[in-house]
Amino acid sequence: QVQLVESGGGLVQPGGSLRLSCAASGFTFSSYAMNWYRQAPGKERELVAAITSAGGVPNYADSVKGRFTISRDNAKNTMYLQMNSLKPEDTAVYYCNARRTNWGRRYDYWGQGTQVTIAS
């Protein structure tokens, strides 16, 4: 019963801010790298941000660098995405992903997504 549950999505004006959360259960959260993906209408899924299992070495898509911050709290089994200076092109369904490779085998878990809409 692995679960990844996103929350915090909604409607916000351009230039505004939003904080997404991903609550994890059913697996050893601290052993997994965590990622945020998004998918806009009519477009392919895009990797937005990534963070290592220990919470270091974050990486971001060029389109969100300087505006988004990924973080995690292993004691709470929760990952976050702080989104600032939001633009209409940030509108998408945002998905939480947990990923680990062990003995050459990939473990890849996904949440159901949360809608983020940026509009005036």
Side-chain angles (χ1 to χ4, degrees), residues 32-107:
Y32 284 72
M34 298 295 295
N35 309 288
W36 286 102
Y37 286 82
R38 69 186 181 188
Q39 188 164 25
K43 300 186 184 300
E44 294 186 341
R45 185 186 64 185
E46 172 191 23
L47 177 63
V48 176
I51 190 166
T52 64
S53 60
V57 196
N59 282 291
Y60 302 93
D62 287 342
S63 59
V64 308
K65 283 183 179 177
R67 301 189 298 120
F68 290 13
T69 303
I70 188 172
S71 62
R72 67 190 294 163
D73 187 339
N74 284 349
K76 295 182 177 180
N77 286 359
T78 303
M79 175 180 64
Y80 307 94
L81 185 67
Q82 178 66 47
M83 304 186 293
N84 299 325
S85 302
L86 285 161
K87 305 174 180 179
E89 48 264 49
D90 295 318
T91 295
V93 177
Y94 284 70
Y95 296 94
C96 176
N97 167 259
R99 182 170 290 148
R100 181 191 181 194
T101 300
N102 190 28
W103 292 92
R105 179 181 177 184
R106 170 171 282 187
Y107 298 80

